[in-house]
């Protein structure tokens, strides 16, 4: 019996070894995102095709929960509003489908995360430009660097892999690791506020005058 071809697994394992070096970057992103979202900012996420599914996966983890229960946070997957997306594509062109929504929803200190295996999607590059115009922070998950989206973003995690499938699989790992670091940072934020609150002296009630 012929042995099954495990080339896909071999490529994934090889790319995963290199990917491990990006853990500090994901920790930094998770910590920064926790500070922004607990302060009232929001996360906007966009991608095309399979990357759109990854984008919606990330927002679901933040609006819902990743593992343990915690407050809900504002996170929007820009492709998910099909009426807006198709209307924008019809009226302004496909390249504007994300930029127009960034213009509508994005605010200073919000974060825009863009996912692309190629790092060359025109509609994501236009969205990055609009986000910078609005004072947002732009992060990118891409395939091998250098690529246009990695260059356009403020910070990028570029997966070095032969195939788009492997890149996409490691983008999912990145999403889960980001959520893990985010939750840890949120717990530290909440715990810190509780400790500061418990340390405050309560005013002493008493009569005014003698």
């Amino acid at each position: 019996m012929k042995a099954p071809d495990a080339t896909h697994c071999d490529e994934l394992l090889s790319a995963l070894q290199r990917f491990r070096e990006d853990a500090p970057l994901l920790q930094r992103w998770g910590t920064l995102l926790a500070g922004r979202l607990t302060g009232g900012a929001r996360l906007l996420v966009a991608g095309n095709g399979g990357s759109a599914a990854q984008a919606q996966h990330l927002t679901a983890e933040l609006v819902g929960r990743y593992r343990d229960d915690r407050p809900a946070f504002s996170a929007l997957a820009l492709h998910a509003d099909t009426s807006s997306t198709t209307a924008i594509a019809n009226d302004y062109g496909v390249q504007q489908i994300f930029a127009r929504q960034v213009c509508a929803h994005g605010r200073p200190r919000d974060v825009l995360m863009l996912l692309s295996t190629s790092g060359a999607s025109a509609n994501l590059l236009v969205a990055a430009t609009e986000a910078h115009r609005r004072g947002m922070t732009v992060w990118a998950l891409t395939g091998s660097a250098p690529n246009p989206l990695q260059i356009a973003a403020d910070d990028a995690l570029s997966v070095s892999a032969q195939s788009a499938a492997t890149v996409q699989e490691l983008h999912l790992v990145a999403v889960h690791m980001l959520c893990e670091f985010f939750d840890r940072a949120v717990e530290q934020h909440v715990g810190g506020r509780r400790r500061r609150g418990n340390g405050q002296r309560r005013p002493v009630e008493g009569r005014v005058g003698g």
Side-chain angles (χ1 to χ4, degrees):
M1 181 176 178
K2 185 179 179 180
D5 186 353
T7 301
H8 185 101
C9 295
D10 294 338
E11 290 179 357
L12 179 59
L13 285 170
S14 177
L16 182 60
Q17 289 300 318
R18 296 187 295 272
F19 176 86
R20 288 174 62 92
E21 298 175 3
D22 291 313
L25 172 60
L26 290 167
Q27 182 174 23
R28 187 167 75 248
W29 283 5
T31 301
L32 177 60
L33 190 62
R36 296 281 181 92
L37 268 56
T38 56
R42 67 165 56 101
L43 174 69
L44 306 181
V45 194
N48 296 290
S51 294
Q54 304 278 32
Q56 198 163 354
H57 188 132
L58 173 57
T59 58
E61 303 282 24
L62 295 177
V63 175
R65 69 176 186 182
Y66 175 58
R67 286 182 180 169
D68 300 324
D69 194 29
R70 53 148 170 74
F73 293 95
S74 182
L76 301 173
L78 298 182
H79 73 280
D81 184 347
T82 54
S83 295
S84 292
T85 301
T86 53
I88 295 165
N90 186 63
D91 294 341
Y92 297 96
V94 175
Q95 289 192 10
Q96 294 294 325
I97 59 174
F98 299 131
R100 185 76 177 177
Q101 293 182 76
V102 168
C103 183
H105 301 300
R107 305 162 300 186
R109 291 186 55 78
D110 285 351
V111 176
L112 175 65
M113 177 172 280
L114 303 170
L115 292 81
S116 172
T117 57
S118 69
S121 300
N123 53 14
L124 299 182
L125 292 167
V126 175
T129 299
E130 179 62 28
H132 282 141
R133 193 180 71 81
R134 301 190 66 80
M136 299 172 63
T137 299
V138 178
W139 295 338
L141 292 178
T142 76
S144 298
N147 61 71
L149 188 57
Q150 169 244 335
I151 294 168
D154 295 304
D155 212 350
L157 192 161
S158 298
V159 175
S160 178
Q162 293 286 333
S163 71
T166 301
V167 172
Q168 218 157 58
E169 287 158 356
L170 290 179
H171 281 182
L172 179 57
V173 176
V175 164
H176 284 160
M177 290 178 66
L178 176 62
C179 290
E180 179 76 32
F181 289 129
F182 175 85
D183 281 4
R184 291 181 192 175
V186 166
E187 179 58 32
Q188 291 175 355
H189 276 274
V190 172
R193 283 202 297 265
R194 286 174 181 161
R195 287 191 294 273
R196 288 193 296 273
N198 292 338
Q200 291 176 351
R201 296 179 61 185
R202 296 180 180 179
V204 177
E205 297 181 1
R207 294 180 301 170
V208 177

